[in-house]
Amino acid sequence: MNNAVWPWPAASARFFASVHSLSEQPDSRRREIAILGRSNSGKSSLLNALVGVRGLAKTSKTPGRTRALNFFALSEKFALVDLPGYGYAKLPQAEARVLSQLLYDYLRTGRNLAGAVMVVDARRAPQAEEIELARLIRERNLELILAINKCDKLARHERSCALKRHAVLAARSVLCSALKGQGIDELRRELGRLLRVGQENLKNNR
Ligand SMILES: Nc1nc2c(ncn2[C@@H]2O[C@H](COP(=O)(O)OP(=O)(O)O)[C@@H](O)[C@H]2O)c(=O)[nH]1
Ligand SMILES: [Mg+2]
């Protein structure tokens, strides 16, 4: 990938914080991009594919494993945040409520948030929760990029249907596969642009 588009070498990527409540937000001035989506949609796999480090964020065949906000630095200025997934039916209700609260609190008030990537499974249709989260992100004037993941599971003719089906969620979407690498460079381009926009907004506010 072109250095100007994605200037963050895999070797500099590192995990730096895991928090269970917003009051524990790390003392960091890095601009953050949130990675959110249903449990098992491939958030952690996609984060790893973007930064180019296998196993940096823990992935799992068992849904509902991420119970915290996990922060990964790309550099001294930028970070990606792996969020707890939603929609995992087997999680005890009380716990699901706590996680949902953490997710919504962070999206509403996370102080370094520059934008968000919503990861959806290409084979599914948008759910009420996704529509609600997309609205919340727009209301905060944050940019939302939709990553329509697991496109390796679709036949070629199903791809345009997947794109159309999800168009209600965001203006910008990319069909991708964290597993096979399709669409990852396009997503990097979108994120690189988003982080640079974030940086300019920050400068203008000073
Ligand atoms: N076929 C396919 N499987 C994927 C893809 N991305 C993730 N997975 C699988 O989906 C499961 C959940 O992935 P994970 O990244 O842990 O999802 P998370 O719960 O959203 O963080 C794992 O078994 C992954 O190997 C993809 O692009 N294609
Ligand atoms: Mg995960």
Side-chain angles (χ1 to χ4, degrees):
M1 166 94 322
N2 182 337
N3 246 7
V5 175
W6 188 262
W8 305 290
S12 317
R14 65 181 182 89
F15 165 78
F16 71 97
S18 181
V19 310
H20 292 86
S21 99
L22 265 202
S23 60
E24 303 165 7
Q25 268 186 95
D27 183 22
S28 156
R29 294 175 62 84
R30 292 181 181 89
R31 301 288 290 163
E32 292 157 5
I33 290 190
I35 302 192
L36 72 148
R38 274 182 82 87
S39 187
N40 216 39
S41 58
K43 296 175 292 299
S44 306
S45 305
L46 203 62
L47 189 149
N48 292 337
L50 286 167
V51 300
V53 184
R54 203 166 286 186
L56 183 64
K58 289 201 177 55
T59 63
S60 171
K61 285 203 181 354
T62 320
R65 282 296 166 88
T66 306
R67 313 260 164 112
L69 310 176
N70 290 318
F71 292 76
F72 297 88
L74 294 173
S75 71
E76 287 308 312
K77 285 188 178 161
F78 300 116
L80 301 179
V81 186
D82 197 9
L83 302 188
Y86 47 83
Y88 177 48
K90 287 191 187 150
L91 205 64
Q93 249 187 28
E95 194 167 348
R97 249 198 311 276
V98 171
L99 285 186
S100 172
Q101 188 70 48
L102 180 60
L103 169 67
Y104 277 81
D105 282 352
Y106 175 67
L107 290 176
R108 284 201 188 97
T109 62
R111 57 175 176 250
N112 296 325
L113 199 54
V117 178
M118 183 185 282
V119 186
V120 298
D121 184 322
R123 296 164 296 180
R124 300 183 67 104
Q127 310 284 305
E129 178 122 46
E130 274 146 0
I131 292 169
E132 169 68 15
L133 285 162
R135 191 181 55 78
L136 183 92
I137 291 163
R138 269 197 309 273
E139 277 176 7
R140 238 196 108 173
N141 281 326
L142 293 173
E143 205 171 330
L144 176 64
I145 296 163
L146 193 66
I148 308 177
N149 192 34
K150 307 197 184 185
C151 77
D152 56 284
K153 295 277 192 187
L154 298 183
R156 194 160 287 277
H157 71 273
E158 292 171 313
R159 295 184 174 193
S160 59
C161 292
L163 276 168
K164 274 188 215 139
R165 204 167 43 236
H166 287 99
V168 295
L169 292 175
R172 285 179 183 273
S173 57
V174 177
L175 262 180
C176 62
S177 167
L179 197 69
K180 306 278 184 188
Q182 285 125 309
I184 299 302
D185 279 350
E186 194 182 341
L187 266 176
R188 286 178 173 157
R189 203 168 291 125
E190 291 286 339
L191 292 194
R193 182 185 53 77
L194 197 158
L195 283 172
R196 279 192 301 275
V197 169
Q199 201 175 25
E200 271 147 32
N201 286 347
L202 206 66
K203 270 190 224 140
N204 294 341
N205 289 339
R206 282 193 179 139

